[in-house]
Amino acid sequence: MSLFASWRTALRVARREVRRARGRSVLVVAMIALPVLALSFAAATYDMINLTGPEKADRTMGTADARIQWQSHWPSMQMPDPADGWTTGYGPGIRAVGGDGPGQADPRDAPGTEAELRSILPAHSTLLPVRRGTTTVQTPDGFGAPDAVMVDASSPLAHGYVDVLDGRAPSTANEVALTEQAMDWLGATIGDSITVDPGGTPHDYTVVGRVVFPSLLDQVLLFAYDGDDAAVGKWFSTRENSWLVDTPQPVTWDQVLAFNDKGIVVTSRAVLTDPPPDAAVPLKQAWQSAYQVDPRGIAISVLVGGLALLEVVLLAGPAFAVSARRRQRQLALVAANGGTPAHIRRIVLADGFVLGVLGAGAGIVLGIAAAFLARPWVEQLLTHARDGGYRVFPGAIAGIAGLAVITGLLAALVPAFITARQNVVSALAGRRGATRSRKRWIAVGLVMIAGGGVITVYGTLRYDTSIMLAGLVIGELGLVFCTPALVGLIARVGRLLPLAPRIALRDAARNRAAAAPAISAVMAAVAGSVTLGMIMVSDRQHNLETWSQQFPTGTVSVFTPTGVDPSTLEQTMRSILPVDQVYPVGSPSCPVGTSQDKNCGIQVVMNDLCPQLKKWMFGQLTDAEREQAGRNPNCDPRDASFGGFLSVDDGSALAALTGASGDDLDRARRMLASGGVVVGSPLYINEGKVTLAIIQPDPNASGDDGTRGDLVVGDDGIYVPPGHTKTLVTMPGYLLTTPNVVRTAVLPPQLVEDAGLAVAQQLLVGSTTRLPSQAEQERFRAAMNALQTGGSIELGPPTNTPPQLLLLIGAAALITLGAAGVGTGLAAADGRADLSTLAAVGASPTVRRGLSVSQSSVIAGLGSVLGSLAGIGVAVAVIEARNQVPWASIWPATPTRPALPWLTLVVVLIAVPLVSILGAGLLTRSRLPIERRL
């Protein structure tokens, strides 16, 4: 028989076997389809999110040829898509210009005007001005600050940037259109009125339409354009002024560069559609020279991709091992009728090919369908923008399909060779063959685990991701090799268990060829889930550790403007928020009668515990100095702005200002009472002493000394404005020891008065019994707005679980549950004969169902434990690898510390096995046909 004919026969046998054993085939296909579904979903979703050049142009500029920003007349550089980055040269600020005298601003700092732009653009160009920012609007619960846009949405140029869904676009100064999200938030529909209330001057706007901004699916208010900057500035906080420009000819990249020379940043439709080569982009060349592209950053993607491929192979491979074990008798019949070992191998490989194709097809179809169905939720919850369209990423889908088929062939390769070498007589008799793990395989597995760990550590230290990937792969494969031995070891405790679990453990030990692959499949799914979960949790923990805030969490602060009775502010605070105590807090200021152009204050001088921080605040650090700061535990970047933030209090508001409590609070109050200073950072105290820099106007300075010049900082890190003097005094100090205290400093009032300065009562600070609700926060903003003052509520770091993490945990649970269910189903299919034997000898349905539950417990439980260990190891390696990337670890950045994903571990270690066990118990048939056994 020719090789072609032999393969054709093998494929025919495989196809007929798929039809004959539909149940087992469906389980194998499901095992392959699970990772393919996840990858296909991710590929299709990514392709829909990743906008094409024309789609980016539509979202950015509607139907125009370009969108232009002109913030200054300094030359600029930009990427082809300015959203990817742009930079503008800025002058040193206020300087003397020509003969106009000191204090004049450089005219190049001024933004460009529409008249200037028209003089530069080609003749017959059309301009549509756009203003973006925020405004203050009354809500059902108080006040909010949503995004706001001013543009003539009825213009054809705006179509695609903003579209009117219902009603019409606003055309007069008292009309507004709302997005769907803004309508839900404000409880308003077309025909209703909303109130914009900036600083106690409310103005009603009639809602005339419902609009959508495809690039921002959020609460947005659309107003008619108003070109009066002074009038708009009273109620509209502008973030960006730009123009949508329609030109006679497309705006080329050469023209964009010419615009950049004038300080103009251009988003061009033609450039987005046909980007220039990298060599023609000056900003990219500048960035590459200033920040060399580190291949280690790219290598992280290679590492993660390689680990994902390993998880796919481990997830799909065991399915073929179990399938080949189930077909042991059929393949033995082929051998008994003259089939050679090569024929047996081809049949098993053909089985892998056919099932791989089916699994790939099913996974791709389901993954794409899931991506299409989930598109609205992805837009609303994750990207907050419209996707480009329904796309499937053909290149990635083809690669995933090929990967699935290749995975099927590779996964069937080992079972093919093992099956071809089986003893025909033993296979026909249905005997299990070897029931003990060979010691050399156990030794090999242990050596691989240990060696893989050493290699991974070595690769991490050297930051060589190829070495790291090799170590992780070797370590996980070592776990796979040791799984049969672990099954046998656990089976030894079976004699202490009831009948059903005892039979299940002994059966797993005798039939390790079926149990071990199923456990490996669950291990692979859990490892991937735990790895991703741990990386996300570690990143979140890192963000919490580097969080900085001005007051303790829950503290309310309100500015006390001139002419407003503080008691009115206090009464308002208490009536709206769960305020417990309210304290007046002052700050150092110039004495009454001092000229308005003078600056007075007190700053705390930093000690030498972290000299790099002082230099970093006012200059650049070398790489060596950054490395020194990174090794210095006292160098916390959050202390950089601490020296200039001071409060004046006699001790009554100390708890609300610092969060101190107990003996720590008592000692701090005694220090203030004795005339000393309280600080919250060791960088500002030295042997119980605090050095203060008192900044006062210099009476001997000339009249021009009040103007600002270049920034001049002394060796002590203290900035002294021109026309002022600095006096250093050393006072007794106390360092707060309460954990997580706010980095601040508190001075007693007498100290400020002795320094010749006044105490300005600028704040009311209130402690709360609980965090205010969202409705209370909005009412508080509304009340402060009505009183023409400002206030804030310190909410602390975000404590809610990110939706991405919840989505990941849900997907991980589904994939892990699917792997556990399919693996358990394959093992149950392989043990069907044993259930029939139990039925034949009179075992009750309860015993048989208990056996299935026990088998599921072994597979899901052991697989989850091994997978969790493997996932934690992989996550630690990836996190440490990322810490080696310069921008993630060079000070002032701080490395990420691994944190265990407890919620994910609870799901995969407890919830998923329980669901799998219950499913096995419910789905086990009470009656089974008696199968003939040789």
Side-chain angles (χ1 to χ4, degrees):
M1 181 182 293
S2 66
L3 181 62
F4 175 77
S6 176
W7 274 107
R8 184 178 60 185
T9 302
L11 288 172
R12 187 185 303 120
V13 171
R15 188 178 68 251
R16 290 177 178 175
E17 175 63 18
V18 169
R19 290 201 305 265
R20 189 182 68 85
R22 291 186 178 88
R24 186 173 70 249
S25 299
V26 167
L27 292 175
V28 177
V29 168
M31 189 71 83
I32 299 174
L34 274 174
V36 173
L37 186 154
L39 292 174
S40 300
F41 175 86
T45 300
Y46 172 80
D47 200 21
M48 290 188 290
I49 292 174
N50 191 30
L51 303 180
T52 63
E55 290 168 345
K56 289 181 180 179
D58 292 341
R59 306 294 172 79
T60 305
M61 65 194 72
T63 61
D65 292 307
R67 181 166 181 167
I68 289 179
Q69 300 177 60
W70 198 351
Q71 295 186 356
S72 77
H73 287 71
W74 293 93
S76 61
M77 290 191 296
Q78 68 170 77
M79 301 294 281
D81 182 0
D84 296 332
W86 61 275
T87 181
T88 299
Y90 291 97
I94 305 299
R95 63 183 66 76
V97 181
D100 294 334
Q104 297 297 316
D106 193 311
R108 289 172 292 183
D109 292 336
T113 64
E114 184 171 326
E116 288 180 287
L117 184 59
R118 287 187 182 276
S119 67
I120 297 173
L121 291 172
H124 309 296
S125 296
T126 302
L127 276 69
L128 182 68
V130 180
R131 193 191 301 270
R132 288 194 58 186
T134 60
T135 189
T136 304
V137 61
Q138 289 185 5
T139 70
D141 294 315
F143 267 46
D147 290 305
V149 176
M150 281 187 175
V151 68
D152 181 6
S154 63
S155 170
L157 291 182
H159 178 64
Y161 171 66
V162 55
D163 294 317
V164 180
L165 302 180
D166 291 317
R168 60 178 176 85
S171 57
T172 64
N174 61 347
E175 294 179 342
V176 68
L178 308 177
T179 61
E180 185 71 36
Q181 295 83 357
M183 285 185 169
D184 293 340
W185 177 46
L186 299 175
T189 59
I190 296 176
D192 294 339
S193 294
I194 66 170
T195 301
V196 173
D197 191 352
T201 56
H203 184 74
D204 292 336
Y205 288 80
T206 301
V207 180
V208 297
R210 181 170 64 93
V211 297
V212 61
F213 289 83
S215 61
L216 182 61
L217 299 181
D218 209 338
Q219 301 157 355
V220 185
L221 278 61
L222 173 67
F223 298 93
Y225 187 79
D226 186 346
D228 188 343
D229 291 341
V232 168
K234 296 178 180 179
W235 63 275
F236 192 101
S237 178
T238 302
R239 290 199 305 258
E240 171 196 313
N241 280 319
S242 60
W243 293 270
L244 304 184
V245 180
D246 184 51
T247 56
Q249 300 294 328
V251 180
T252 65
W253 178 243
D254 290 337
Q255 291 174 313
V256 170
L257 295 179
F259 280 124
N260 289 168
D261 291 338
K262 302 179 183 297
I264 301 174
V265 177
V266 183
T267 307
S268 167
R269 180 181 298 275
V271 173
L272 290 178
T273 304
D274 185 17
D278 291 348
V281 182
L283 182 57
K284 181 169 290 188
Q285 302 302 317
W287 280 356
Q288 288 178 349
S289 60
Y291 308 100
Q292 294 293 330
V293 177
D294 195 331
R296 295 181 294 183
I298 302 174
I300 288 292
S301 301
V302 177
L303 173 64
V304 175
L307 292 173
L309 178 61
L310 173 64
E311 300 306 327
V312 171
V313 172
L314 289 179
L315 188 60
F320 291 101
V322 175
S323 178
R325 171 66 184 86
R326 180 64 176 167
R327 296 179 59 193
Q328 178 177 276
R329 177 179 174 82
Q330 177 194 18
L331 296 175
L333 289 173
V334 174
N337 284 276
T340 65
H343 291 148
I344 303 298
R345 288 194 296 270
R346 289 167 191 161
I347 291 174
V348 177
L349 289 174
D351 196 23
F353 176 81
V354 172
L355 293 176
V357 169
L358 292 175
I364 288 173
V365 170
L366 293 175
I368 293 175
F372 285 178
L373 292 175
R375 177 182 172 183
W377 287 274
V378 172
E379 292 176 342
Q380 294 289 341
L381 300 177
L382 298 181
T383 64
H384 300 286
R386 284 276 185 262
D387 291 347
Y390 287 100
R391 295 192 288 265
V392 298
F393 206 162
I397 294 297
I400 293 170
L403 176 64
V405 175
I406 293 173
T407 299
L409 288 173
L410 292 176
L413 191 61
V414 174
F417 277 90
I418 293 177
T419 305
R421 297 172 56 186
Q422 70 179 342
N423 184 283
V424 176
V425 176
S426 298
L428 289 173
R431 292 195 290 268
R432 305 285 189 182
T435 59
R436 296 178 61 86
S437 300
R438 297 184 178 181
K439 293 182 178 180
R440 65 170 179 266
W441 288 115
I442 300 175
V444 169
L446 294 175
V447 170
M448 290 178 69
I449 294 173
V454 172
I455 293 172
T456 302
V457 172
Y458 176 73
T460 302
L461 295 176
R462 290 195 55 185
Y463 198 85
D464 190 323
T465 53
S466 59
I467 296 178
M468 293 174 57
L469 181 60
L472 293 172
V473 170
I474 290 172
E476 287 207 33
L477 291 179
L479 281 176
V480 174
F481 286 158
C482 288
T483 299
L486 287 174
V487 173
L489 182 64
I490 294 175
R492 294 185 179 181
V493 303
R495 61 180 180 270
L496 304 176
L497 301 176
L499 177 62
R502 183 166 68 247
I503 295 176
L505 285 174
R506 290 179 178 177
D507 181 72
R510 291 195 304 267
N511 192 18
R512 300 178 194 183
I519 292 172
S520 298
V522 178
M523 180 190 75
V526 171
S529 304
V530 172
T531 297
L532 294 176
M534 185 169 178
I535 291 174
M536 290 188 67
V537 169
S538 299
D539 288 342
R540 181 166 176 256
Q541 182 65 32
H542 180 259
N543 292 334
L544 294 178
E545 291 174 351
T546 56
W547 184 267
S548 179
Q549 59 190 58
Q550 185 176 3
F551 296 109
T553 301
T555 301
V556 181
S557 60
V558 175
F559 290 103
T560 55
T562 303
V564 178
D565 187 358
S567 62
T568 301
L569 294 175
E570 179 178 350
Q571 183 179 359
T572 304
M573 294 168 61
R574 292 183 179 278
S575 64
I576 298 175
L577 302 175
V579 171
D580 181 25
Q581 297 291 332
V582 177
Y583 309 96
V585 176
S587 62
S589 67
C590 290
V592 177
T594 306
S595 175
Q596 294 296 319
D597 60 0
K598 302 300 182 180
N599 298 306
C600 302
I602 299 178
Q603 298 182 49
V604 186
V605 179
M606 188 182 298
N607 58 34
D608 295 327
L609 288 179
C610 181
Q612 297 83 11
L613 180 60
K614 189 186 305 182
K615 186 175 180 181
W616 174 68
M617 290 166 57
F618 301 102
Q620 298 294 324
L621 295 180
T622 65
D623 291 342
E625 289 172 329
R626 290 181 183 273
E627 291 179 1
Q628 293 172 0
R631 293 191 297 268
N632 187 345
N634 296 305
C635 291
D636 192 329
R638 291 178 293 180
D639 287 320
S641 61
F642 159 64
F645 179 71
L646 296 146
S647 301
V648 179
D649 179 65
D650 60 3
S652 54
L654 192 60
L657 290 171
T658 65
S661 59
D663 293 339
D664 188 35
L665 178 60
D666 294 337
R667 288 191 291 267
R669 284 174 172 168
R670 287 195 294 269
M671 176 59 68
L672 290 175
S674 65
V677 182
V678 174
V679 296
S681 169
L683 295 184
Y684 293 92
I685 189 169
N686 186 20
E687 296 181 352
K689 300 291 183 180
V690 174
T691 300
L692 302 177
I694 302 173
I695 310 298
Q696 295 174 301
D698 185 357
N700 299 319
S702 62
D704 292 336
D705 287 337
T707 60
R708 291 183 56 191
D710 293 336
L711 187 67
V712 178
V713 182
D715 294 336
D716 54 10
I718 301 299
Y719 166 66
V720 181
H724 291 71
T725 62
K726 173 182 66 176
T727 304
L728 297 180
V729 297
T730 301
M731 307 292 298
Y734 176 74
L735 175 64
L736 294 169
T737 59
T738 303
N740 299 320
V741 295
V742 178
R743 287 164 164 78
T744 187
V746 182
L747 310 177
Q750 189 61 45
L751 187 153
V752 179
E753 295 175 3
D754 292 344
L757 302 180
V759 177
Q761 299 296 331
Q762 293 186 338
L763 286 177
L764 287 181
V765 176
S767 59
T768 56
T769 57
R770 58 172 174 81
L771 279 178
S773 65
Q774 183 65 36
E776 290 172 333
Q777 295 175 40
E778 293 189 3
R779 288 197 294 271
F780 172 70
R781 285 195 293 266
M784 295 301 102
N785 188 72
L787 293 171
Q788 297 184 350
T789 186
S792 64
I793 303 172
E794 185 60 68
L795 300 178
T799 56
N800 58 313
T801 303
Q804 295 89 339
L805 182 58
L806 294 177
L807 184 63
L808 172 65
I809 292 175
L814 289 176
I815 293 175
T816 306
L817 183 61
V822 174
T824 302
L826 289 169
D830 188 68
R832 179 185 174 93
D834 296 331
L835 292 177
S836 299
T837 302
L838 284 175
V841 298
S844 66
T846 302
V847 174
R848 297 199 298 273
R849 186 171 287 108
L851 177 59
S852 296
V853 168
S854 301
Q855 288 174 331
S856 178
S857 302
V858 173
I859 294 172
L862 186 56
S864 296
V865 172
L866 293 177
S868 298
L869 295 175
I872 291 173
V874 171
V876 170
V878 173
I879 291 171
E880 292 302 323
R882 290 194 312 170
N883 285 338
Q884 305 301 320
V885 179
W887 57 82
S889 59
I890 293 182
W891 193 89
T894 56
T896 302
R897 295 188 297 109
L900 290 177
W902 293 110
L903 183 57
T904 304
L905 291 176
V906 168
V907 171
V908 300
L909 288 176
I910 300 177
V912 170
L914 282 178
V915 174
S916 178
I917 290 168
L918 292 175
L922 294 174
L923 298 178
T924 299
R925 296 170 59 184
S926 299
R927 296 182 178 274
L928 290 174
I930 303 300
E931 296 185 355
R932 184 164 59 94
R933 305 288 296 272
L934 181 63

